[in-house]
């Protein structure tokens, strides 16, 4: 159990309700300085006031005083993946209700709050109607904002802000996303580079290699993550589009990225194919989609776990050292359905419907999902 956070909770709930300290004091029949001392942690409310405060804020007394156990990171991660599986197999509303109960029960467990916000972001498209999906996405924003404003872990708060910005992009709220992300911009400190040199100096070669491989893979992942932006921003320039596509494919092949993290490659191929269709270059699009299907066939019996390879043979030790999540954020069944639908049911590929190659691609994807 954490220390009692009743003062912080009163402050948060009072502000949510939009009332002043004086208004709350008048309601309770105490002085304004008394409320001020509660919120600053200098004193606590009388025990007889606790049920009145809890009822006023529409929360339990346990929530009011912050008397809740916290889950360990490992427990939260196990719970996340169990809920992700449930979203794939059970009615959406049933799993959503369980998540909401967990949010109430572990109100001050900010890592759990963050993970459930992330869970909503990764599964909101399963909610059903456009209204429900929009509502789940907005709920994710609310949860992440709570972590941002109340969390006591600086790193977690930054992650929550980044994911909130991604939610805004999903909501087509570019200005809000920019505002959040620009507030996070700060000079980069190459911690891994310094650690590599420090471990070398200390004579710990294996640790130096772990951080070298880890930082290299992270940098590569960032570069490959920019591929779709390059394709879309150069969609009006065929020569530059081809140039960047070939660069990214070479990077993927040279570093054998498929052996480490195949999941991220589907998006690269899908976006490249969609851009080629907009350019009226259907044969190029079909060539890329063939690569997409070949990737799926080679990985049909594998999971979506991030792991090491011949090139990055110390990556797993690095991931353990930084306590990184290596499992996919969604159930494999959901991911495979998306791998099929993003091609077979996407209006971006309507121009290919009359092509026998495209029909074969769709058939192959359906067989893989089955």
């Amino acid at each position: 159990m954490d220390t009692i956070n009743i003062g912080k909770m009163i402050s948060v709930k009072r502000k949510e309700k939009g009332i002043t300290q004086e208004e709350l004091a008048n309601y309770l029949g105490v002085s304004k300085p008394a409320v001020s001392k509660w919120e600053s942690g200098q004193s606590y409310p009388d025990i007889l006031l606790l049920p009145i405060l809890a009822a006023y804020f529409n929360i339990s007394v346990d929530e009011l005083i912050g008397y809740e156990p916290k889950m360990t990171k490992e427990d939260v991660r196990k719970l996340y993946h169990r809920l992700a599986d449930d979203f794939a197999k059970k009615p959406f509303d049933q799993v959503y209700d369980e998540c909401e109960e967990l949010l109430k029960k572990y109100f001050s467990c900010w890592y759990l709050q963050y993970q459930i916000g992330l869970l909503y972001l990764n599964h909101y498209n399963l909610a059903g109607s456009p209204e429900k999906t929009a509502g789940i996405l907005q709920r994710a924003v609310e949860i992440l904002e709570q972590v941002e404003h109340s969390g006591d872990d600086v790193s977690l708060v930054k992650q929550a802000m980044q994911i909130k910005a991604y939610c805004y992009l999903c909501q087509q709220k570019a200005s809000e996303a920019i505002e959040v992300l620009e507030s996070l911009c700060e000079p980069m400190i190459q911690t891994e580079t310094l650690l590599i040199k420090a471990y070398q100096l200390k004579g710990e070669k294996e640790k130096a290699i772990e951080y070298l491989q880890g930082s290299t893979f992270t940098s590569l992942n960032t570069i490959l993550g920019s591929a779709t932006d390059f394709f879309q921003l150069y969609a009006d320039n065929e020569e530059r589009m081809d140039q960047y596509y070939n660069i990214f494919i070479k990077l993927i092949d040279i570093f054998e990225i498929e052996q480490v993290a195949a999941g991220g490659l589907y998006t690269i191929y899908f976006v490249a194919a969609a851009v080629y269709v907009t350019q009226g270059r259907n044969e190029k699009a079909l060539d890329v989609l063939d690569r997409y299907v070949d990737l799926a066939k080679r990985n049909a019996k594998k999971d979506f776990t991030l792991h090491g390879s011949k090139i990055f043979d110390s990556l797993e030790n690095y991931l353990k050292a930084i306590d990184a999540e290596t499992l996919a954020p969604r159930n494999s069944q959901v991911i495979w359905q998306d791998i099929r639908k993003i091609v077979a049911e996407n209006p971006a590929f309507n121009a290919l419907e009359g092509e026998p190659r495209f029909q074969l691609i769709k058939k192959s994807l359906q067989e893989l999902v089955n």
Side-chain angles (χ1 to χ4, degrees):
M1 185 193 76
D2 276 352
T3 56
I4 291 176
N5 290 314
I6 186 170
K8 187 175 183 180
M9 185 66 71
I10 290 173
S11 176
V12 169
K13 291 299 180 180
R14 176 179 61 76
K15 290 172 183 176
E16 285 181 3
K17 209 169 180 68
I19 61 172
T20 64
Q21 288 183 339
E22 186 171 3
E23 288 172 322
L24 179 59
N26 290 337
Y27 176 79
L28 296 170
V30 299
S31 67
K32 178 180 176 295
V35 174
S36 178
K37 287 182 178 180
W38 298 344
E39 294 189 358
S40 64
Q42 297 177 54
S43 65
Y44 297 123
D46 187 282
I47 192 170
L48 296 176
L49 290 175
L50 297 184
I52 300 173
L53 276 164
Y56 184 66
F57 293 133
N58 194 30
I59 58 176
S60 69
V61 172
D62 280 353
E63 289 177 72
L64 177 67
I65 65 175
Y67 191 86
E68 288 293 346
K70 281 196 175 184
M71 298 177 70
T72 66
K73 272 193 173 183
E74 185 60 29
D75 286 340
V76 172
R77 287 171 177 169
K78 288 178 181 177
L79 176 64
Y80 178 101
H81 291 291
R82 196 266 291 170
L83 291 169
D85 283 342
D86 287 348
F87 269 126
K89 300 169 184 175
K90 297 179 180 179
F92 184 92
D93 289 345
Q94 178 183 334
V95 186
Y96 176 76
D97 288 344
E98 181 181 355
C99 291
E100 289 296 308
E101 286 301 314
L102 288 165
L103 289 171
K104 290 179 182 178
K105 182 177 180 181
Y106 297 97
F107 181 82
S108 61
C109 185
W110 304 116
Y111 186 66
L112 173 67
Q113 299 274 331
Y114 166 78
Q115 289 290 342
I116 289 185
L118 189 61
L119 187 74
Y120 285 174
L121 172 62
N122 286 322
H123 296 87
Y124 76 94
N125 60 334
L126 300 177
S129 68
E131 293 79 11
K132 287 185 71 174
T133 56
I136 299 299
L137 197 54
Q138 182 56 37
R139 179 66 180 129
V141 169
E142 293 168 1
I143 294 167
L144 294 164
E145 282 183 340
Q146 188 70 32
V147 177
E148 175 188 347
H149 297 308
S150 301
D152 49 10
D153 182 327
V154 175
S155 177
L156 185 65
V157 167
K158 288 184 177 180
Q159 290 177 60
M161 293 174 71
Q162 290 172 333
I163 300 302
K164 184 178 78 168
Y166 190 86
C167 290
Y168 281 144
L169 292 176
C170 294
Q171 293 176 317
Q172 305 296 307
K173 295 180 179 179
S175 297
E176 288 86 343
I178 290 170
E179 182 180 353
V180 172
L181 294 171
E182 285 189 340
S183 71
L184 287 170
C185 287
E186 55 188 34
M188 292 181 63
I189 300 174
Q190 299 293 340
T191 307
E192 281 85 358
T193 301
L194 297 176
L195 276 169
I196 293 164
K197 296 186 183 302
Y199 277 120
Q200 279 183 292
L201 184 62
K202 196 178 177 183
E204 296 187 27
K205 181 180 177 181
E206 292 304 316
K207 290 298 293 184
I209 289 173
E210 285 177 22
Y211 278 96
L212 176 62
Q213 290 193 12
S215 62
T216 301
F217 174 74
T218 301
S219 298
L220 273 170
N221 210 32
T222 300
I223 293 170
L224 291 173
S226 69
T228 57
D229 294 320
F230 272 97
F231 300 159
Q232 291 167 333
L233 290 171
Y234 284 98
D236 58 351
N237 187 323
E238 293 184 5
E239 182 180 352
R240 295 299 294 277
M241 169 63 193
D242 287 345
Q243 179 185 24
Y244 285 116
Y245 175 75
N246 290 331
I247 287 172
F248 286 112
I249 294 303
K250 285 177 182 176
L251 276 175
I252 291 168
D253 291 343
I254 289 171
F255 285 96
E256 299 178 359
I257 297 298
E258 182 182 334
Q259 304 303 316
V260 186
L265 303 184
Y266 293 98
T267 302
I268 293 175
Y269 298 149
F270 151 69
V271 174
V275 169
Y276 280 131
V277 170
T278 65
Q279 293 177 341
R281 305 163 74 188
N282 289 358
E283 286 302 311
K284 288 284 290 183
L286 290 167
D287 288 343
V288 178
L289 290 177
D290 279 337
R291 191 172 179 116
Y292 183 101
V293 172
D294 288 341
L295 174 69
K297 287 179 178 178
R298 286 193 300 271
N299 291 275
K301 294 184 179 181
K302 300 177 184 177
D303 58 27
F304 292 89
T305 303
L306 180 62
H307 48 74
S309 66
K310 288 182 180 179
I311 293 177
F312 295 104
D313 57 351
S314 294
L315 182 62
E316 290 182 16
N317 290 332
Y318 168 79
L319 295 171
K320 289 177 183 177
I322 64 170
D323 194 26
E325 176 62 87
T326 58
L327 299 178
R330 296 183 295 165
N331 173 275
S332 293
Q333 179 183 341
V334 174
I335 295 174
W336 278 110
Q337 287 290 351
D338 280 352
I339 287 172
R340 183 194 68 82
K341 288 197 296 185
I342 203 169
V343 171
E345 301 177 16
N346 199 310
F349 298 118
N350 285 347
L352 302 178
E353 287 294 339
E355 300 280 353
R357 281 177 68 191
F358 186 63
Q359 295 305 318
L360 184 59
I361 286 167
K362 291 204 297 183
K363 181 181 177 182
S364 296
L365 289 173
Q366 184 61 59
E367 289 173 351
L368 284 170
V369 172
N370 291 340

